[in-house]
Amino acid sequence: MSESPNNGADPRWTKEFTERLRQLELRPGRVIISLDQLHAEFTQVFAHRPGIPDRRVWLLDALRYAEQQGVIRLPTQKGKLWDPSGQPPLPSRVRRVAVPKPAREAWWRTRYWPPELEWLLDLETLDEAHDAFLLRVEQGLKECWFKDAAPLRHRSIQLTGDDKRLGVLLDGVLFKKGRLTPALLNCASDTLPLAHEVVGGPPVALVFENKEPYNLALAVLRALARRPYGVVAFGGGGSFQQSVRAFTDIQASELYRQRVGQPLQRIDYVGDLDWPGLAIAAQAARRAQEAGLPPVVPALGAYHAMLNALLDPRINCPEGLAVQDTKTHRRSHLTWLPEDLQKRIEPMLLNNRRVPEEMLTERSLRDWWATL
């Protein structure tokens, strides 16, 4: 639309409408403006203006002008996103064009940093949300805040004012290789110790997600003359994603050298057959690989025993147990299981069902281990 539209509209009205679309508050992450919203904004500007012979024509002209100004993008005329209920057809929705943020001054590249933070000089960009945190770290280094070890949450309050914020930052760009580390900040480990026992069998470890199956398995193994595992451990739920690294120290211990003597060949894992349980296993397997440890693999005998227990007439729950709280999940975590188990368990999971690890009993453990 030109500065002097030939439909008789005052250009000031059209510019005001365009600016309203530019400033329109949308929900976070949203860029779509519906036709109802467009009508509402148009009415605010044009409702009391005289001489509107055809409201749809004027609205369409105003939208085209807004598109020329780079504020919105109209859908293609050949598409289906047009309302044909009147003439001329109007777009059922438009997309607001994102306004690029002005370039940020790279203040961190002109600052004199202590040696531990000199990697900042190589960064092309830096999230503004990290500015205050980095300046607090700099202050802490200069004033020797990190001389004494402290819990992670204590250090988080010290550096961010929030006891959980540092835990989030640990998984972000500031803690990539060659940058910040928990050791630099002298944070005491927040990883739950890996409870375990070296039982003196072959160089294979068995880890349970939950404490009761672990206690049961340990009691049964102690009574066996021939033990199918050299180490039994309690993963502590999601803690195992971090504590799996403890197997490096376990293998270096004198007790392990005496009772097992050979490097671990693999780590068998048993957890709940649900989305959180599979996520724990998949993440632990990835971190074990990163640490140069043997693979974390499914303890197949345990999982088959858990599934078969659902068919016990005293339980009679072949479809699995109902999930009380549904959570987001990644179907890619299913690939940690072999294909036959994936096919058997996926329908349950998608139907909000699960198989708890506590389906294991002394009899099912003995039957499973008799086959190893």
Side-chain angles (χ1 to χ4, degrees):
M1 187 174 183
S2 65
E3 288 294 319
S4 300
N6 56 21
N7 62 16
D10 189 324
R12 291 175 298 178
W13 307 344
T14 308
K15 291 178 180 179
E16 181 183 344
F17 173 73
T18 297
E19 190 58 30
R20 291 181 72 94
L21 295 187
R22 190 194 309 274
Q23 301 296 332
L24 184 63
E25 289 190 13
L26 302 176
R27 287 183 296 173
R30 296 282 295 176
V31 295
I32 299 300
I33 305 176
S34 69
L35 181 56
D36 287 342
Q37 290 175 296
L38 295 173
H39 274 301
E41 297 303 317
F42 179 83
T43 299
Q44 288 295 318
V45 178
F46 288 86
H48 305 295
R49 312 298 187 186
I52 303 182
D54 191 328
R55 191 171 296 271
R56 292 178 71 96
V57 171
W58 281 45
L59 174 54
L60 182 58
D61 282 349
L63 291 173
R64 286 173 176 160
Y65 177 85
E67 183 177 47
Q68 291 172 8
Q69 302 308 305
V71 174
I72 63 170
R73 185 176 297 117
L74 296 172
T76 174
Q77 287 280 4
K78 296 180 180 179
K80 298 179 180 180
L81 299 179
W82 287 80
D83 173 25
S85 61
Q87 290 297 323
L90 293 174
S92 59
R93 65 185 188 183
V94 300
R95 178 182 295 271
R96 186 162 68 185
V97 177
V99 179
K101 292 184 179 180
R104 186 170 180 238
E105 182 181 353
W107 66 271
W108 60 93
R109 302 187 73 180
T110 60
R111 189 179 182 84
Y112 178 77
W113 295 100
E116 298 89 344
L117 296 176
E118 286 183 346
W119 51 270
L120 284 165
L121 299 173
D122 297 325
L123 294 187
E124 295 290 338
T125 61
L126 179 66
D127 192 321
E128 188 175 353
H130 295 153
D131 290 358
F133 170 72
L134 289 167
L135 291 174
R136 291 288 286 178
V137 172
E138 178 190 37
Q139 182 181 359
L141 290 168
K142 289 179 177 179
E143 298 179 7
C144 301
W145 294 358
F146 314 131
K147 181 179 179 180
D148 296 325
L152 180 70
R153 291 197 174 191
H154 177 99
R155 197 68 81 209
S156 184
I157 296 170
Q158 202 175 38
L159 295 173
T160 72
D162 185 297
D163 65 332
K164 297 181 180 180
R165 177 61 180 161
L166 182 54
V168 175
L169 292 174
L170 289 178
D171 292 325
V173 295
L174 298 183
F175 285 83
K176 284 187 175 181
K177 186 176 181 181
R179 299 180 182 179
L180 295 178
T181 66
L184 174 66
L185 305 180
N186 205 1
C187 298
S189 174
D190 65 337
T191 300
L192 190 70
L194 184 66
H196 68 280
E197 184 164 323
V198 181
V199 293
V204 180
L206 176 63
V207 181
F208 289 88
E209 177 184 343
N210 301 322
K211 59 181 180 293
E212 291 180 76
Y214 164 73
N215 289 331
L216 176 62
L218 192 56
V220 175
L221 278 172
R222 286 171 177 162
L224 294 180
R226 187 185 68 83
R227 296 166 181 170
Y229 289 95
V231 181
V232 183
F234 165 48
S239 297
F240 186 57
Q241 297 172 71
Q242 297 291 341
S243 64
V244 64
R245 297 186 177 99
F247 278 110
T248 298
D249 295 332
I250 291 172
Q251 293 180 87
S253 69
E254 183 62 28
L255 183 61
Y256 182 89
R257 287 197 294 266
Q258 290 177 359
R259 295 191 177 181
V260 180
Q262 303 174 55
L264 280 175
Q265 296 175 356
R266 70 176 192 275
I267 301 169
D268 286 3
Y269 184 78
V270 188
D272 294 332
L273 283 172
D274 54 19
W275 293 118
L278 291 174
I280 292 169
Q283 294 291 349
R286 179 178 63 83
R287 290 194 167 116
Q289 184 180 33
E290 293 172 351
L293 289 165
V296 175
V297 299
L300 299 180
Y303 286 125
H304 285 297
M306 289 160 56
L307 286 164
N308 291 338
L310 297 175
L311 307 177
D312 187 322
R314 294 166 294 183
I315 294 176
N316 191 28
C317 194
E319 71 281 4
L321 278 66
V323 175
Q324 299 300 320
D325 298 317
T326 57
K327 298 180 179 180
T328 57
H329 61 269
R330 294 184 183 179
R331 293 181 69 173
S332 60
H333 290 153
L334 262 175
T335 60
W336 179 73
L337 295 170
E339 190 172 348
D340 62 328
L341 270 179
Q342 289 183 47
K343 291 179 179 178
R344 192 171 175 185
I345 190 63
E346 184 174 18
M348 291 185 184
L349 300 184
L350 295 178
N351 198 35
N352 290 329
R353 297 281 173 167
R354 65 190 293 268
V355 186
E357 186 184 357
E358 287 76 11
M359 299 303 295
L360 294 170
T361 65
E362 177 181 354
R363 171 52 57 193
S364 61
L365 289 173
R366 287 182 179 276
D367 290 346
W368 163 32
W369 290 335
T371 66
L372 300 180

